[in-house]
């Protein structure tokens, strides 16, 4: 190709091959085949930028935070608090006081359950969730119900895996104190109309906790525009490290909430008679936090913003469409979850073949998909399947890989007939 | 790692046509097994004659490995007593988990499971039926001893 031709060719809007080069793991071979990673909904891979940011921090700046006058402690504190501000900007929170670093979505939801709900709820109160929640947004509320006598209500979904909004509204009443919903379902890909849910819940005086684990890598999340009271997500689904995540909470609510874990960092003064708690957000961050994780998360947010989350989303939606059309032609394939608005997640079954066997055959072809109940056993029960296979697409996946998925599914048929 | 090693003809045959599939009415012992990770569920029911398994059936839904393993197990244990079954279980377990183990010649068709150990994520699928059988036997022993 001549230089002239190169010049006259407009740069592609989204250069997925360039994006792929940012992810070292994608050059790996698996079982002698090039890796086709279609399991980003379980955990996304990290770009070099994140790996290097963590490495740089560990190599040059590590010390404990908030605890020393020495240079390293100050550098570590700056890096950690800098990451907090990076998160604040990413989700458009008003203040870093509203950004609490936690281990992940699960811990964020448990924090709200144990600090907010447990201290306020009692018999006669209700917590409303939906039928498509991840176990992380079910079990913490069951625990609170056991502890307080409150009742758990579940808004139903339809055969496409969409929330039946009218039913949710019917379940809302002044007794509803907490509404906890996924922004995007991990098992089905359904995008929930959270703004509409939040408005309806607020009209009844309930606070809303959004499980943002699957939404954060696919859409611009603006917690203020949404009006969410709490919003939880994990770094590892956003191309960041494991073991770190964020709970956003509205400051007026956080200020009134009791701490949920006690220890260092969350206090101002301790005597044996009395402890004065620290200010927000540190009141909720007992103990030495995951500093390098926060640094990695900030780098992941830089990376995502550089690509542009709208560009990522457009790319993923293209893949979703191509994959949906290609998979629809695979004999015996049933989609589980066919909502009108979906993130780039496709759950499916194959007639006569258990998802586990699909997963093993695909793995032998280098294709990584998730198989199982996806921590959403009630969703599996609803669709009357023991499990599904799930392919999920991220910023680095290609149409070629969809072809390899389909070819690998043909192999499944060859083995099982 | 070769898929043919896992999905051998014997395995595929037993997956397609599971032997002794169903439940025994008024069974002397039964137990439910569940592998929550993959959603496999199965029930093993037994008719006992003293110490000996006179009849056995299994029912449930599972992957090819768990279905075939259960089917092969029912064929292998029919007519055997507890001691022989315990011995068989030990040898199957070794076969599924010990990378160096050669299938002992008297394992018969159960030797077809020797490919499973190359697929660590699948070992539990193959052993579910055996654990369920053990639970059924233990329960019947417990019932017997309290009577
Ligand atoms: C919808 C949803 N909620 C919650 C979680 C839990 O996230 P984590 O395991 O990172 O705490 C996940 C991750 O699997 C998820 O997909």
């Amino acid at each position: 190709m001549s230089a002239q031709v190169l010049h006259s060719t407009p740069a592609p809007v989204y250069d997925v091959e360039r994006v792929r080069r940012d992810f070292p793991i994608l050059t790996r071979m698996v079982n002698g085949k090039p890796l086709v990673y279609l399991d980003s909904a379980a955990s996304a891979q990290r770009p070099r930028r994140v790996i290097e940011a963590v490495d740089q921090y560990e190599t040059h700046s590590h010390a404990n935070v908030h605890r020393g006058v020495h240079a390293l402690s100050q550098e570590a504190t700056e890096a950690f608090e800098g990451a907090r501000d990076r998160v604040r900007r990413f989700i458009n929170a008003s203040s870093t006081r509203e950004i609490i670093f936690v281990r992940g979505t699960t811990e964020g939801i448990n924090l709200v359950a144990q600090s907010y709900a447990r201290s306020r709820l009692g018999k006669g109160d209700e917590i409303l969730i939906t039928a498509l929640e991840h176990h992380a947004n079910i079990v913490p509320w069951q625990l609170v119900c056991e502890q307080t006598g409150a009742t758990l209500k579940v808004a139903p979904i339809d055969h496409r895996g969409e929330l039946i909004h009218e039913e949710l509204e019917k379940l809302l009443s002044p007794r509803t104190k907490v509404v906890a919903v996924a922004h995007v379902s991990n098992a089905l890909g359904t995008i929930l109309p959270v703004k509409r849910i939040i408005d309806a819940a607020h009209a009844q005086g309930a606070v809303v906790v959004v499980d943002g684990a699957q939404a954060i890598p696919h859409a611009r999340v603006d917690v203020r525009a949404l009006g969410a009271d709490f919003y939880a997500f994990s770094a590892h689904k956003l191309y960041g490290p494991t073991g770190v995540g964020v709970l956003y909470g509205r400051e007026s609510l956080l200020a009134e909430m009791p701490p949920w874990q006690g220890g260092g960092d969350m206090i101002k003064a301790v005597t044996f008679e009395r402890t004065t708690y620290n200010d927000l957000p540190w009141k909720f961050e007992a103990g030495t936090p995951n500093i390098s994780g926060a640094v990695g998360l900030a780098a992941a947010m830089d990376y995502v913003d550089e690509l542009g989350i709208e560009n990522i989303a457009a790319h993923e939606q293209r893949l979703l469409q191509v994959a949906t059309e290609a998979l629809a032609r695979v004999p015996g394939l049933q989609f589980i979850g066919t909502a009108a608005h979906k993130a780039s997640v496709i759950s499916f079954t194959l007639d006569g073949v258990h998802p586990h066997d699909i997963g093993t055959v695909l793995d032998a072809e280098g294709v990584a998909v998730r198989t199982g109940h996806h921590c959403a056993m009630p969703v599996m029960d609803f669709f009357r399947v023991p499990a599904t296979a799930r392919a999920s697409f991220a910023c680095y996946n290609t149409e070629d890989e969809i072809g390899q998925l389909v070819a690998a599914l043909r192999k499944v048929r060859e083995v099982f007939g | 790692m070769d898929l043919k090693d896992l999905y051998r003809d014997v395995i595929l045959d037993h997956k397609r046509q599971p032997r002794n599939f169903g439940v025994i009415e008024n069974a002397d012992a039964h137990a439910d097994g569940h592998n929550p990770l993959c959603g496999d569920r199965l029930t093993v029911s037994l008719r006992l004659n003293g110490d000996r398994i006179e009849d056995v059936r299994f029912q449930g839904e599972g992957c090819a490995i768990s279905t075939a393993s259960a089917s092969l197990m029912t064929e292998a244990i029919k007519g055997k007593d507890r001691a022989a079954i315990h011995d068989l279980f030990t040898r199957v377990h070794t076969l599924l988990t010990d990378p160096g183990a050669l299938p002992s010649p008297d394992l018969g068709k159960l030797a077809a499971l020797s490919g499973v150990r190359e697929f660590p994520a699948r070992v539990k699928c193959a052993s579910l039926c055996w654990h369920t059988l053990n639970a059924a036997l233990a329960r019947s022993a417990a019932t017997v001893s309290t009577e």
Side-chain angles (χ1 to χ4, degrees), chain A residues 41-42 104-107 109 134 136 182 184-186 211 213-214 234 236-237:
Chain A
T105 312
T106 304
E107 190 174 67
I109 296 170
H134 186 281
V184 170
S185 153
N186 67 309
D211 170 353
Q214 293 294 338
S234 308
H236 70 98
K237 310 233 192 225

Side-chain angles (χ1 to χ4, degrees), chain A residues 31 352-354 356-365 371-373 377 381 384-387 411 414-417, chain B residues 1-4 6-7 11-12 15-16 34-41 61-66 119 121-122 125:
Chain A
N31 295 322
V353 189
H354 191 281
H356 235 181
D357 295 313
I358 301 174
T360 294
V361 178
L362 263 49
D363 184 53
E365 297 297 309
T371 57
H373 54 59
M377 290 170 90
D381 290 344
R384 296 175 188 286
V385 292
K411 271 264 154 67
E414 275 171 33
V415 173
F416 292 100
Chain B
M1 171 167 136
D2 189 350
L3 279 180
K4 291 228 162 59
L6 181 66
Y7 297 118
I11 303 276
L12 291 174
K15 180 239 179 224
R16 290 193 190 107
H34 186 206
N35 180 349
L37 205 64
C38 36
D40 288 355
R41 278 173 200 283
E61 52 181 342
C63 63
I65 303 302
S66 83
F119 299 78
R122 308 304 300 275
C125 309

Side-chain angles (χ1 to χ4, degrees), chain A residues 8-330:
Chain A
S8 62
T9 313
V13 189
Y14 190 87
D15 184 352
V16 68
E17 288 308 325
R18 224 194 71 204
V19 172
R20 288 181 72 78
R21 286 197 288 278
D22 294 335
F23 290 80
I25 206 169
L26 296 180
T27 60
R28 238 202 89 151
M29 303 292 279
V30 168
N31 295 322
K33 307 273 167 61
L35 167 67
V36 175
Y37 189 73
L38 302 181
D39 196 19
S40 299
S43 200
Q45 300 297 347
R46 295 100 173 88
R48 195 171 281 109
R49 158 89 69 108
V50 168
I51 298 166
E52 283 171 359
V54 171
D55 185 64
Q56 172 78 10
Y57 168 80
E58 302 284 17
T59 311
H60 295 282
S61 306
H62 172 67
N64 212 328
V65 289
H66 310 135
R67 292 184 191 181
V69 294
H70 60 78
L72 289 188
S73 177
Q74 285 178 37
E75 277 180 34
T77 305
E78 270 168 36
F80 186 63
E81 294 304 326
R84 196 188 305 277
D85 193 56
R86 185 69 190 84
V87 173
R88 181 196 66 73
R89 280 186 284 129
F90 196 79
I91 60 172
N92 194 32
S94 327
S95 152
T96 50
R97 289 188 296 278
E98 302 183 316
I99 306 298
I100 298 160
F101 281 121
V102 289
R103 272 197 301 136
T105 312
T106 304
E107 190 174 67
I109 296 170
N110 276 281
L111 193 163
V112 182
Q114 288 302 309
S115 171
Y116 179 84
R118 191 179 183 179
S119 65
R120 275 158 209 257
L121 269 55
K123 240 185 158 48
D125 290 332
E126 292 174 0
I127 298 169
L128 177 58
I129 64 174
T130 81
L132 52 63
E133 301 306 321
H134 186 281
H135 297 162
N137 204 25
I138 303 174
V139 185
W141 305 115
Q142 289 174 328
L143 288 170
V144 167
C145 286
E146 272 174 32
Q147 290 157 345
T148 62
T151 309
L152 190 68
K153 298 276 177 181
V154 183
I157 54 176
D158 64 17
H159 67 284
R160 293 150 60 100
E162 290 188 13
L163 175 71
I164 308 173
H165 189 81
E166 298 66 37
E167 295 295 325
L168 176 121
E169 293 219 357
K170 275 191 222 155
L171 288 166
L172 277 170
S173 78
R175 288 187 302 277
T176 315
K177 294 298 184 291
V178 175
V179 176
V181 293
H183 197 162
V184 170
S185 153
N186 67 309
L188 304 170
T190 313
I191 301 173
L192 278 83
V194 276
K195 170 88 183 117
R196 195 171 163 208
I197 297 169
I198 289 168
D199 290 345
H202 283 173
Q204 297 287 347
V207 305
V208 182
V209 188
V210 182
D211 170 353
Q214 293 294 338
I216 202 82
H218 302 301
R220 169 68 56 206
V221 170
D222 179 330
V223 289
R224 271 190 280 177
L226 280 178
D229 299 297
F230 298 99
Y231 197 100
F233 61 93
S234 308
H236 70 98
K237 310 233 192 225
L238 186 68
Y239 313 106
T242 51
V244 66
V246 171
L247 174 70
Y248 158 82
R250 196 192 286 282
E251 185 174 353
S252 56
L253 293 169
L254 292 174
E256 297 292 311
M257 286 157 55
W260 84 304
Q261 290 178 340
D265 271 344
M266 54 74 70
I267 51 86
K268 269 189 178 154
V270 175
T271 65
F272 287 119
E273 288 70 41
R274 189 182 140 70
T275 291
T276 317
Y277 302 133
N278 206 338
D279 298 324
L280 288 175
W282 306 290
K283 179 170 89 172
F284 292 106
E285 292 180 359
T288 302
N290 184 347
I291 308 164
S292 66
V295 168
L297 171 58
M301 290 178 163
D302 286 342
Y303 181 78
V304 166
D305 272 350
E306 224 169 79
L307 291 184
I309 193 134
E310 290 79 7
N311 298 331
I312 295 175
H315 172 71
E316 290 170 344
Q317 285 296 317
R318 242 180 344 261
L319 293 177
L320 176 67
Q321 196 186 338
V322 170
T324 304
E325 284 165 14
L327 292 176
R329 289 193 294 270
V330 172

